[in-house]
């Protein structure tokens, strides 16, 4: 589900009936779910390549295992929570992409990455 960034408020998820990722099932009837942004709010959407970006990390002390950790939805939320109030959609797209690639240590991703940020600035802006 998309996330909404509200100036001066917590990042929140858009409530949605959901469904499988787009284009994975030919005959899935995705529900139409209208949503209205308030002036100044920004909606952020991304493909699974963002959440699936990963890196290896040493397991707890005393073990010699290596774990794979993922950027996941939590990484997107962490990034959005630290945004400056004046951040633009371009700042979000560029910054989130940089954060994902830095997280994965610029390793080759196994999937594409697409990020969309839409901001409603209000009537007449």
């Amino acid at each position: 589900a998309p996330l909404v960034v509200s100036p001066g408020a917590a990042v929140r998820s858009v409530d949605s009936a959901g469904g499988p990722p787009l284009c994975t099932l030919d005959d899935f009837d995705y529900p139409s779910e209208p949503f209205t942004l308030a002036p100044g709010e920004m909606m952020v959407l991304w493909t699974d390549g963002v959440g699936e970006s990963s890196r290896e990390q040493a397991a707890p002390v005393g073990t010699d295992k290596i774990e794979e950790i993922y950027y996941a939805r939590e990484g997107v939320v962490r990034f959005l929570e630290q945004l400056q109030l004046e951040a633009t959609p371009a700042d979000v797209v560029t910054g989130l992409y940089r954060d994902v690639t830095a997280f994965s240590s610029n390793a080759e991703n196994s999937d594409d990455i697409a990020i969309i940020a839409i901001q409603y600035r209000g009537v007449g802006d």
Side-chain angles (χ1 to χ4, degrees), residues 4-5 24 41 44 49 91 95 107:
V4 174
V5 181
T24 57
E41 288 186 326
V44 182
D91 295 334

Side-chain angles (χ1 to χ4, degrees), residues 8 42 62 86 93 108 122:
M42 187 181 315
E86 64 276 359
V93 170
E108 184 72 31

